[in-house]
Every structure is written in structure tokens, then in C-alpha cells.
């Protein structure tokens, strides 16, 4: 999950003078980075205790997957010159490289060890670092030829044993599998000390007493998906008094919910230093979850990315099995924001802000706020080996050297344009790693209106690695993580089976798919194909039809469905588009020549100006990667020097008396912002609603209140979203999309500061668009940061197609 110090409303001109301005309490600028010592201290690793050991003995299944996995390795990328970036890691971990290899599992999690006389209670925002890091040791799983200590480990073995079966050298194949397994463990278990973010940073917004996880109570297990969209760990069962009313799990660090790892909290001491509460031995108390006394919770990446496998949904969403889960599709049903601030009133701006995103979305700039309401879906991680590469000029954050290298466009605006290594580790910072050392000191200071502390400053990677060893814990594992992620493939409806055994192919009208292929080629492929059409034909539909004539957009297994019988039997078609592979089998040339690297990614990743796409512009205007902003070192020079996509009206802050909502001139968009990349449509049938914010279409629900996760439910949601997508957004046209504008569900009172502290100056009435508050910068309150309220507009491509062509295109997309 990605949270924020809440970007609230700008201050009214009447109220500015009464807001507390924190000149005296501002922290000093970060100290200069000292030289890298020759001998960097090695952390002390505590011994594993019986508590840390898993309790299962689970056989490894060889049941094949219905979803698609890819036998692609990092060496495959290197051989094809598909590697990216210039960053190789800081010397703070490279000098201890062997130690990190030896302690891979020990360093998946970490805790702060506070200096004498200091503690979380004495630490102030932006104050000096008075702690070091200590690993939280975890067990090392055995090789896959043995029974596994948890069902998770058995599933990891099932996953990797299906990979690289075509590699002739057994030792090389096993090394590839082992790396993928380690990367999968990073994805599911790597927290790297990020449990501190909520208790040290977010608690400043709602109070530590209001920051807790109510679903930790095992008695909520039967309703976690229904109520919160959370995915229960299949290795756990409901606990009882003997487990202090937490889930009973094979892995003792599982909270019972995937994406949330539990570690014992520090003992509570009195003023004399005597332990008055030991979380490892204390008896159960009814208030311990609300008081965060026994456990702290860390958040690995799967908290947002694990979801139900659309090809194999569970019988009961609150009781999934491992075979029902996908680690990379993204949780389209999560109500994650509801799970954290339960102690705060429902009309607290923190609760209202996180609830302002639709089901399955979260605002990735909630903590490092860009002051724009722009919740988005999680990236669907499929076939990333086939994403397009772009040559950028980038600066090495370690050496300062500027040179050209390749990069993929990762985030929705093409940010994180310095290669996958830094793109991945930035996510860990964004979900709480190294918050106090590397991140918070570079945020604007609440209540500050003049001088330093009114704007973001860039996080410096070398400073972060120097002051926060948890960065190095994570940094040393990013290659392993990348090795796992590139093995993720699509989920195909043709291979799906619903929980009532209905086959996915029954939902596709295969007769019209060939026509849908041609419509897609003419109308969609210039943006949504990784076979990149030349610029001189991209506006010519007849030329596009010829360019994509024999191209297979979907999976090779189903290629014949994309073409009519007449085409497939035409000798000219066969000679132009088919070829015999080394085994003499006639295949589409793109697969015969390139194998899985011939698969179309169904997106070209080009960055399209926001005013051409026409969707809500606030996500496109996201500027945290601009020079001088928090993520400066995670974007390339090429990105930051992108041509301006245009200007937007400067709109007076909507809370200002008399002039609020009026415009005065324009603001030019510069620095890299203002674009959205053309996304992949792989498995689009399974991931409705549409757009970056899930605003096109609606989630449907089962009678018990659960989001409809079934195969039939996903198809219904896809068809609803497709119909809305293919409808005009012009309110003067009939029919047209109904405008969707998220509003406050209750009256909200705020101080106008991003931390919601200070005197209450502004009231937002129930029904007020949330963007009035969340799209304005409290440190620059005169104008709205982004003024765009309608969330389901834009993407008007294809709305003028005939009903027959719309239907054929819809059925074609179900095959992808």
C-alpha cells in the first residue's frame, strides 16, 4: 500500500494568518554524505528461535497452471541487450556483497535498535538518526526435492519447477530457478523495516492510538475479503485463545493476510528502564491490537499485487488455496484504505482521503504528496520482458556520471525511467522503507509557507544508503526480484474455468474474433501493440490494416482464432506470415523466430500527452520525478527534459471566497509531467473497470457483499466497462457516459495543513468533490494544483465504430 501525509485543501486567505508556521522547529538540512569507509560495520544477526520456525510439512505439487508463466531469465535479457539503467548499487552494500548473499533471508526484514536515551517517543519529525538496523532472521526454505515447511514454500517450488525445462544444462537451469525463488520470497516477505512508517510518520496524522489493523483479530478471518478485499493466507486457520486471537499460521511471521508480516514489538519499559510489557510473553488483552502492543506490521509488495487468479477462482474468497492466487495481477478488489485508520473518526480527512479511490486503487503519491487527487490501479505485471525499451540520458546517483542507457517506462506517466533496479527499490521506499532517514526530511514541513520547508527536495540515494542500512538490505536483492517478476505471464480466458466449472471459452464468440482482429489493427494497435507502427502510417487505417495483417496479437496457442479460414488457407498468407520452426512445425513467424519474445505486449509504452488522451489529467500532471522534487534521482535527464505537452488553466483555489473556481491565465506543464504511457491490454478481460483510476465501469457484488471475483463476474464487469468506454463522454450527446466525480461522504473539517493538525479553519460539506481538498497544495494555496473533477472522461478512440465492429472488438479482446 502507498499512503501519504494527507494533501489537504489550500488555506483560505482569511485563515492563513492563524496557521502555525514552524520556523523554529524546522530540522536542519541533511548533513553532507561522509566518505564511504573501507570497513562498513556488519550487522549483528540474532539467532533463530523456535518461534521463528515454520510448522508445516507440505508436499510439492506438479499440477500445471492455468495462467501463463514465462521461462525468461536475466541472462536471456542480457543476451538480447534488453537490460536497463546505469545503477549497479551503492558501495554501502557492494562492499559487503558476499555477506548479503550469505544472509539473504536474515535481511528480508529489519528493526530499529535505538541509541541509549532515545526511542520512537523521543524522535521528532526530521530529527537526527539515533538508531541502527538489526536483521529480523527468517528461516531458509529447503530445496524443492524435500517436503516444504509451509504451503507458500511448496507453491514456490511448484512455480519454479515448471520453469526453464528447456535449458539443457541442469545446473544452469537450477540456478535460474533458485534466483526466481529468492525473488518470489522478496516479493512476498521483503519488508526491510517499513513497519515503522505507520507508527512514526502516519501516526502524526491520526494519532498513534488510531493507527492499527482491526483485521488482525482472527475472528475477522471469515470476512476479510468481503469487508476489506484482503487475501487470507492459505497457510493459516482461525486461531483462538491459545494464539492470543491471532491467526494460527505455518509461518510465524504471517499476519494471516498476504502482504502483511508481523514481528514482535519492542518491550515497553517504565521510566527506570524496567520492562513492564514483554510482547513475547504478555497475556492477551482485549485492547492490544488497538494499542499495537504485541506486533508491528510490515508490508511487502504483494499487499497490492496479489489477487485471485482469474483463470482459477476460489470456491470461497475468504478461504483461498494457493492455486487460486496470482502474485502479480494486482488486487482489483482491495478496499485497503479502510484497514488502517479505524480508530480515527470516519470524517477525519485521513479516512476520507484514502476512501476517495475506487475499489482496487490506491494513490501512489499519498505520502510523498504531489497535491493532486490521482488514485490508480496497480501495474499488471505480465510479460515485462516484452515491454519496449527507450534510450535515455541518465545520471548515475553514485558516481554522478551522465550517459545513455536503455530504460522501460514503468509508472503510468513513464516515470521511474532509469531502469528496473531503481524503479523496484523506489517502491519499497514508497511503502515505508527508510522513511525517517531518507524521505520525511525532504517533504514540505506542515504549516510552513515561507522559505525552506515549503517544497519537496530530492531524496539522495547515497545519503539514504549511508544513513539507512535497510536500503542496502533491499538493494542487494533487486536483481533476484526482477528475475521473479519477468517470469509472470498473462491469464487467458480460453484457459479459464469458473468455480462452477464453466469454461472460459464459453464467454467468447469466436466467430467474430477475426473481424475483431482487423478492427483492433485499424483502431487500437497503433497505441496498444509492441509491434510499433511507423509514424507515417499511424493515422492511416488502411495502411495499419496492411501493417498488422498477419500479426498475432494474442497467445500462440490461439492464433488460428484471430484469422478467418480463408486467410489461414491462403498460400500467400502462409508464405508471408507462417514458418516452420526447428522441429518442422508450421508456426506464426513471430513465434517461430523469437519464441516468447515474439509475444505482443499489447502496448507500445509511448508517452502520450494528457490533452490527447483526454482522461482526467491529475495523474498525468504528477510531478514527483521532476528536478527538485522527491524522486529526482529516479528519473532520467531525458524524462525531465521532455517537451512540454501544453498548458492548463490556473484556477483559483475553490475554497477561496468569491474568486474560488475562477481562472487567471495558464500554467505551462514542464519537467517531464503531462503524459500517460500507452498501457498493455494483456488480460484486459480480467481487470475491469478501466482507465488508470478504475473509473470506466463498475465492480459488481455478490449477495454477501463480496466483490464478484468469479469468472462470470469478471466477464460482466468487463462488458459493462467496455460499453462505457465505447460511449461518448460528451454530455450533449445521447447516449453519453454519466459523469463520475468522487465526493466526501460526510462533512469534513480540516486545518488546511497536510497533517490535519492545527486550528480547524475549513469545512467541506458532504457531497463536495474530494478534489477540492486533495488537488490543492497547502504550501501554495492560491491556485489549485490540478483542477479536473470528472474521473471517467476521455479515451474517445473507437466510440464512433458501428455496433457490429464494437461487438467484434470486444470479443477479440476477450481472447487476449
Amino acid at each position: 500500500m502507498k499512503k501519504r501525509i494527507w494533501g489537504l485543501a489550500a488555506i483560505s486567505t482569511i485563515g492563513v494568518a492563524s496557521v502555525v508556521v514552524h520556523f523554529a522547529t524546522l530540522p536542519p538540512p541533511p548533513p553532507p554524505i561522509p566518505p564511504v569507509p573501507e570497513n562498513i560495520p556488519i550487522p549483528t544477526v540474532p539467532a533463530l528461535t523456535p518461534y521463528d520456525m515454520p510448522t508445516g510439512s507440505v508436499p510439492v505439487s506438479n499440477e500445471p497452471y492455468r495462467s501463463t508463466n514465462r521461462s525468461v531469465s536475466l541472462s536471456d535479457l542480457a543476451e538480447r541487450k534488453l537490460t536497463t539503467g546505469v545503477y549497479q548499487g551503492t558501495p554501502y552494500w557492494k562492499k559487503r556483497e558476499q555477506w548479503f548473499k550469505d544472509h539473504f533471508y536474515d535481511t528480508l526484514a529489519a528493526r530499529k535498535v535505538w541509541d541509549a536515551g532515545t526511542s520512537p517517543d523521543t524522535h521528532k519529525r526530521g530529527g537526527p538518526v539515533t538508531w541502527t538496523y538489526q536483521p529480523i532472521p527468517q528461516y531458509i526454505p529447503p530445496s524443492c526435492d524435500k517436503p516444504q515447511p509451509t504451503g507458500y514454500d511448496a507453491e514456490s517450488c511448484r512455480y519454479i519447477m515448471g520453469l526453464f525445462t528447456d535449458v539443457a544444462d541442469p545446473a544452469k537451469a537450477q540456478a535460474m530457478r533458485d534466483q526466481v525463488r529468492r525473488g518470489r520470497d522478496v516479493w512476498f516477505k521483503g519488508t526491510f523495516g517499513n513497519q515503522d512508517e505507520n507508527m512514526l510518520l502516519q501516526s502524526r496524522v491520526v494519532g498513534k492510538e488510531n493507527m492499527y489493523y482491526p483485521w488482525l483479530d482472527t475472528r475477522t478471518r471469515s470476512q476479510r475479503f468481503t469487508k476489506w478485499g484482503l487475501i487470507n493466507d492459505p497457510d493459516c486457520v482461525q486461531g483462538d485463545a491459545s494464539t492470543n486471537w491471532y491467526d494460527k499460521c505455518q509461518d510465524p511471521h504471517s499476519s494471516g493476510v498476504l502482504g502483511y508480516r508481523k514481528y514482535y514489538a519492542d518491550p515497553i519499559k517504565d521510566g527506570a528502564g524496567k520492562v513492564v510489557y514483554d510482547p513475547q510473553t504478555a497475556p492477551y488483552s482485549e485492547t492490544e491490537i488497538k494499542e499495537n502492543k504485541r506486533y508491528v506490521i510490515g508490508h511487502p509488495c504483494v499487499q497490492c499485487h496479489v489477487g485471485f487468479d482469474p483463470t482459477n477462482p476460489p470456491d470461497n474468497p475468504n478461504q483461498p488455496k494457493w492455486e487460486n492466487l496470482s502474485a502479480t495481477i494486482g488486487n482489483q478488489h482491495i478496499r485497503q484504505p479502510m484497514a488502517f485508520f479505524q480508530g480515527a473518526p470516519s470524517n477525519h480527512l485521513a479516512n476520507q482521503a484514502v476512501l476517495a479511490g475506487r475499489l482496487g486503487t490506491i494513490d501512489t503519491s499519498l505520502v510523498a504528496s504531489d497535491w493532486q487527487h490521482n488514485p490508480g490501479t496497480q501495474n499488471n505485471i505480465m510479460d515485462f520482458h516484452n515491454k519496449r525499451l527507450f534510450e535515455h540520458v541518465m545520471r548515475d546517483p553514485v558516481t554522478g556520471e551522465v550517459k545513455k542507457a536503455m530504460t522501460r517506462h514503468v509508472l503510468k506517466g513513464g516515470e521511474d525511467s532509469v531502469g528496473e533496479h531503481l524503479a523496484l527499490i523506489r517502491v519499497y521506499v514508497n511503502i515505508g522503507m527508510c522513511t525517517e532517514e531518507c524521505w520525511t526530511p525532504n517533504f514540505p514541513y506542515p504549516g510552513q509557507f515561507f522559505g525552506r520547508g515549503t517544497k519537496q527536495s530530492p531524496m539522495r540515494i547515497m545519503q539514504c544508503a549511508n544513513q539507512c542500512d535497510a536500503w542496502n538490505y533491499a538493494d542487494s536483492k533487486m536483481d533476484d526480484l526482477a528475475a521473479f517478476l519477468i517470469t509472470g505471464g498473462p491469464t487467458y480466458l480460453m484457459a479459464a474455468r469458473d468455480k462452477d466449472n464453466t469454461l472460459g471459452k464459453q464467454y467468447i464468440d469466436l466467430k467474430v474474433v477475426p473481424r475483431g482482429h482487423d478492427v483492433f489493427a485499424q483502431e487500437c494497435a497503433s497505441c496498444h501493440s509492441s509491434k510499433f507502427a511507423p509514424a507515417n502510417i499511424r493515422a492511416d487505417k488502411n495502411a495499419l490494416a496492411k501493417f498488422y495483417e498477419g500479426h498475432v496479437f494474442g497467445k500462440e496457442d490461439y492464433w488460428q482464432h484471430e484469422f478467418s479460414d480463408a486467410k489461414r488457407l491462403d498460400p500467400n498468407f502462409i508464405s508471408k506470415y507462417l514458418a516452420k520452426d526447428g522441429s518442422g512445425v508450421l508456426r506464426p513467424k513471430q513465434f517461430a523466430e523469437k519464441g516468447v519474445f515474439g509475444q505482443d505486449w499489447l502496448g507500445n509504452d509511448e508517452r502520450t500527452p494528457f490533452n490527447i488522451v483526454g482522461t482526467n489529467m491529475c495523474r498525468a500532471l504528477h510531478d514527483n520525478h521532476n528536478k527538485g522534487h522527491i524522486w529526482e534521482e529516479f528519473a532520467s535527464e531525458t524524462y525531465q527534459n521532455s517537451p512540454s505537452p501544453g498548458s492548463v488553466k490556473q484556477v483559483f483555489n475553490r475554497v477561496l471566497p468569491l474568486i474560488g473556481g475562477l481562472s487567471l491565465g495558464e500554467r505551462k506543464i514542464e519537467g517531464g509531467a503531462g503524459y500517460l504511457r500507452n498501457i498493455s491490454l494483456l488480460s484486459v478481460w480480467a481487470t475491469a473497470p478501466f482507465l488508470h483510476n478504475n473509473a470506466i465501469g463498475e465492480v459488481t457484488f455478490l449477495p454477501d457483499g463480496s466483490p464478484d471475483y468469479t469468472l462470470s463476474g469478471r466477464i460482466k464487469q468487463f462488458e459493462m466497462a467496455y460499453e462505457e468506454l465505447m460511449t461518448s463522454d460528451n454530455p450533449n450527446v445521447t447516449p453519453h457516459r454519466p459523469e463520475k466525480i468522487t465526493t466526501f461522504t460526510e462533512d469534513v473539517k480540516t486545518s488546511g495543513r497536510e497533517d490535519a493538525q492545527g486550528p480547524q479553519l475549513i469545512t467541506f460539506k458532504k457531497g463536495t468533490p474530494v478534489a477540492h481538498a486533495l488537488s490543492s497544495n497547502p504550501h501554495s494555496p492560491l491556485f489549485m494544483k490540478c483542477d479536473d473533477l470528472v474521473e471517467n472522461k476521455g479515451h474517445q478512440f473507437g466510440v464512433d465504430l458501428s455496433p457490429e465492429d464494437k461487438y467484434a472488438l470486444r470479443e477479440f479482446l476477450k481472447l487476449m
Side-chain angles (χ1 to χ4, degrees), residues 640-659:
Q640 292 165 347
N641 292 301
S642 300
S644 171
S647 299
V648 296
K649 290 181 179 180
Q650 282 207 129
V651 177
F652 284 110
N653 196 295
R654 289 180 176 272
V655 304
L656 297 176
L658 302 178
I659 62 173

Side-chain angles (χ1 to χ4, degrees), residues 104-124:
F104 181 91
Y105 286 93
D106 293 330
T107 51
L108 285 171
R111 58 182 289 269
K112 283 182 170 66
V113 178
W114 293 82
D115 296 348
T118 68
S119 71
D121 294 329
T122 64
H123 176 68
K124 304 299 181 184

